[in-house]
Amino acid sequence: SMLPEDHLLRASLPVHWSEETLASAKCTALEVAADSSYFAREEAVSDIVSQLQETHYLDGLFEEDDLKALAHAALDVVQTRSCQLESSDGAQWGPPLHVVAPIFDFFNHASSVGGGDGYANVSFQLEGDWLVVRARQQIDESEEVLLDYGVHARPQWNCLNHYGFVPASRDVDEDEQYSEEEGNDENVAEVFIAGSRFEVGPSFVPVEMVEASVIAIAEEQGSITDQTLSDTTSIAFDDFGDASLLTPDVAIPIAKRLSEVAFQLILEPGAEEETKGHDEAEDITASEVVTAKLAANLRWSQFNVLLSCAAAMREYAAEDFE
């Protein structure tokens, strides 16, 4: 078979992960998404098993637990290998159409926000009854065909939750800066400030995060006033430029906070791991290796985003001082 082994595919999807493994990924958004997926999956499995039992074709061949395992395995394949289609004329009736298309489902993912090496070099859409793949740029004979899996592939934690892998992070150069408003939210990381969760990118922080930081700094300094609260409601913000509240005194503490969170991500998930004996390490299964690697990949991806954002904030602060 050209499909992954059932137990390894299962191990790649957070919907099947234990609470401990989910916690080791250190991503609140992934935990919430996995919980939501779990309940949706249980309902789908229950419906499939009920329908199979009603047919009576499988009477005596499988126990209910076996049917549930088969239903989960089938849904794992559908979830990780289906794609959302759009028609060439943009028309859509009812919910988005998801299909599993043989051969097509072997194409790997890459971002379509940009062009050149490492980006999606083809696009796809439904044209009549045909699923059509078209080149976005010149493709060499030996070059891999890559397409963008769409909304379920961004940001990283959503791609992991839906497809079972963490997309590779891309370096963003000066000519390729993007903001959250441009819709390229595939490289983001979460950070908590004053009890609120925010997502930052390599070169942007949300307006609300700056506002929360200003208030937190003012509270810490005991200088919060009604004027401070009023100012945070009228901020003009575009990336790191022209932000009335994003002064160096605010940018530097934000950068420090981003760096702190980044380094927390690369610490060992639990000190108990260090006390494992040699015999216990030998008992680690292939499935456990898969889940541990994916959780580590997500932490590393967010680590890189946070460091990039912290560096950009410090650079912005330095420029403002000049």
Side-chain angles (χ1 to χ4, degrees):
S1 172
M2 299 182 69
L3 294 176
E5 296 181 52
D6 289 352
H7 68 287
L8 297 181
L9 182 58
R10 179 183 178 87
S12 72
L13 293 173
V15 68
H16 300 302
W17 290 5
S18 65
E19 291 185 5
E20 180 182 3
T21 303
L22 278 172
S24 73
K26 298 185 179 181
C27 180
T28 305
L30 178 65
E31 294 186 58
V32 173
D35 283 344
S36 178
S37 297
Y38 174 82
F39 291 109
R41 173 63 72 91
E42 287 301 304
E43 183 177 350
V45 167
S46 177
D47 289 342
I48 292 172
V49 171
S50 296
Q51 292 180 38
L52 288 174
Q53 290 174 331
E54 289 176 3
T55 64
H56 301 294
Y57 292 130
L58 303 178
D59 287 352
L61 297 178
F62 296 97
E63 298 293 336
E64 183 171 338
D65 287 345
D66 295 327
L67 290 176
K68 288 182 178 180
L70 288 172
H72 272 295
L75 289 171
D76 288 345
V77 171
V78 171
Q79 175 178 321
T80 56
R81 310 199 77 81
S82 63
C83 65
Q84 180 175 320
L85 293 181
E86 295 181 0
S87 62
S88 58
D89 59 6
Q92 178 178 312
W93 298 271
L97 177 63
H98 289 80
V99 301
V100 178
I103 306 302
F104 174 84
D105 67 331
F106 288 108
F107 290 139
N108 284 326
H109 166 77
S111 171
S112 62
V113 183
D117 294 342
Y119 290 92
N121 48 25
V122 300
S123 60
F124 64 94
Q125 62 185 8
L126 190 64
E127 298 184 10
D129 295 330
W130 295 90
L131 174 56
V132 179
V133 178
R134 298 186 184 279
R136 301 177 67 231
Q137 61 195 49
Q138 180 67 36
I139 303 175
D140 296 333
E141 182 178 349
S142 60
E143 188 177 352
E144 181 180 9
V145 175
L146 300 169
L147 55 81
D148 193 323
Y149 288 1
V151 294
H152 293 304
R154 55 179 63 89
Q156 310 99 309
W157 58 262
N158 194 31
C159 186
L160 174 57
N161 186 59
H162 192 89
Y163 289 111
F165 71 91
V166 179
S169 298
R170 297 182 298 103
D171 293 329
V172 182
D173 57 36
E174 293 182 357
D175 295 329
E176 194 189 334
Q177 296 295 322
Y178 55 80
S179 66
E180 189 177 24
E181 288 74 19
E182 290 174 324
N184 186 13
D185 57 352
E186 56 198 33
N187 292 320
V188 300
E190 67 178 21
V191 58
F192 284 84
I193 291 182
S196 297
R197 176 186 176 276
F198 303 98
E199 285 189 339
V200 303
S203 61
F204 73 79
V205 295
V207 177
E208 295 80 8
M209 179 174 161
V210 178
E211 295 171 348
S213 298
V214 170
I215 294 174
I217 292 170
E219 287 179 338
E220 184 177 336
Q221 297 174 346
S223 59
I224 189 168
T225 63
D226 290 340
Q227 184 62 41
T228 303
L229 296 175
S230 175
D231 288 344
T232 61
T233 64
S234 59
I235 185 171
F237 190 76
D238 180 13
D239 284 351
F240 295 153
D242 301 326
S244 60
L245 292 183
L246 190 56
T247 65
D249 290 338
V250 175
I252 293 300
I254 290 178
K256 181 180 179 181
R257 174 59 179 160
L258 294 174
S259 297
E260 291 173 349
V261 176
F263 284 107
Q264 284 295 321
L265 287 172
I266 60 174
L267 296 177
E268 287 297 322
E272 69 276 2
E273 295 296 323
E274 300 177 2
T275 63
K276 279 190 174 182
H278 180 70
D279 292 339
E280 290 181 87
E282 290 181 345
D283 292 335
I284 296 177
T285 66
S287 295
E288 290 171 329
V289 171
V290 169
T291 57
K293 182 178 180 180
L294 287 170
N297 286 347
L298 182 60
R299 293 196 305 272
W300 182 249
S301 176
Q302 295 203 94
F303 168 81
N304 287 323
V305 171
L306 289 167
L307 282 193
S308 295
C309 189
M313 291 292 286
R314 291 190 175 93
E315 182 179 351
Y316 166 81
E319 291 175 352
D320 204 50
F321 271 125
E322 295 177 355

